[in-house]
Amino acid sequence: MITQRNSSAETSNTITINASENATANVTISNVNIDTSGAAVSTGGKGNVNIELDGTNTLKSGRYHAGLEKSQDGKLTITDENANGKLIATGGDYGAGIGGDDQGNGKNITITGGEITATGGSHGAGIGGGYYGNGNDITITGGKVTATGGNGAAGIGGGNYKDGNDINIAGGKVTATGGDYGAGIGGGNQGNGKNITITGGEVTAAGGTNGAGIGGGLRKEGEKITVSGDATLKVQGGLTDEWDGAGAGIGNG
């Protein structure tokens, strides 16, 4: 377990989690409060990382970095088995809230529980890619998740100019809001949103200006979007501007 003795005071100390190939690193973070010019928490290596949340954990990273920066090749799983965990992850400019750094992809990310607020810096997704980074293979099965993209990025999915594909929501309460020109769930500005499946949970998705609620960012496509099961859905496409039309609720930007 990684804990901070006085979590009411911010620290600039950072956490790095390395997972070896064919191995899983299991780490609990408890009441940490990090504000740094680098990455507050970063993962590395070729294995899988499981992060269990206890208490309130605040991660604020500097420019070019994600709040919780996923750099390892395997899967990142965020859990809250004791139902007492909260994560507030804020990326610096060009970084995602949870996922990729500047020009970094945010992929193979699973959230099973916890109260999670993920906010991308300018050009970064709330959960997914940093600037010029795709957001792929993102799964949410539980918890209360609020994801807000920075300018040009999706709430959940692609960073500015990139795609958000293979996104699955099967449970939890999920609110995703795109920055200008990005989808709520799907592509960032001029990025596609494809293979998005919602089978459960309560999902609210709003596109930024010109972006779809679920699907493509500005001028791009939303394809193979499926809603089924007991999912409840509220979607809103982004507004028009003087150059381009409004985004679809579900579909194209």
Side-chain angles (χ1 to χ4, degrees):
M1 177 183 290
I2 299 172
T3 188
Q4 184 175 327
R5 184 170 297 174
N6 180 13
S7 61
S8 63
E10 295 174 343
T11 179
S12 61
N13 294 331
T14 62
I15 299 170
T16 301
I17 305 167
N18 286 306
S20 300
E21 188 172 7
N22 299 320
T24 298
N26 296 299
V27 176
T28 298
I29 57 173
S30 176
N31 293 309
V32 301
N33 184 1
I34 300 172
D35 186 346
T36 181
S37 60
V41 174
S42 60
T43 66
K46 295 185 177 182
N48 300 317
V49 173
N50 294 339
I51 296 178
E52 166 71 11
L53 303 174
D54 278 353
T56 298
N57 299 279
T58 302
L59 312 177
K60 185 176 181 181
S61 296
R63 197 176 198 196
Y64 306 121
H65 292 284
L68 196 173
E69 189 167 293
K70 181 187 181 295
S71 300
Q72 101 276 9
D73 293 342
K75 180 187 289 186
L76 169 64
T77 303
I78 300 171
T79 64
D80 181 23
E81 294 182 358
N82 298 323
N84 67 347
K86 184 175 182 180
L87 175 65
I88 303 167
T90 304
D93 286 346
Y94 306 100
I98 298 173
D101 60 358
D102 180 29
Q103 302 186 49
N105 298 321
K107 61 181 182 179
N108 295 332
I109 298 169
T110 296
I111 296 170
T112 66
E115 183 177 343
I116 295 174
T117 301
T119 305
S122 184
H123 309 294
I127 301 173
Y131 177 58
Y132 255 95
N134 295 309
N136 297 335
D137 298 306
I138 299 168
T139 299
I140 299 172
T141 62
K144 181 180 179 182
V145 179
T146 301
T148 304
N151 186 43
I156 300 174
N160 198 358
Y161 299 116
K162 285 296 184 175
D163 300 338
N165 299 329
D166 302 309
I167 298 169
N168 298 283
I169 299 174
K173 183 175 182 180
V174 179
T175 301
T177 305
D180 283 345
Y181 317 118
I185 300 173
N189 173 31
Q190 300 184 52
N192 297 309
K194 299 182 179 181
N195 298 321
I196 299 170
T197 303
I198 300 172
T199 58
E202 180 181 340
V203 179
T204 301
T209 301
N210 310 128
I214 300 175
L218 169 67
R219 303 177 186 171
K220 288 295 182 176
E221 298 176 345
E223 294 184 355
K224 297 182 179 179
I225 299 168
T226 303
V227 180
S228 64
D230 61 358
T232 61
L233 194 63
K234 182 178 180 181
V235 296
Q236 179 177 327
L239 299 176
T240 186
D241 62 13
E242 60 185 304
W243 299 284
D244 293 280
I250 298 176
N252 297 343

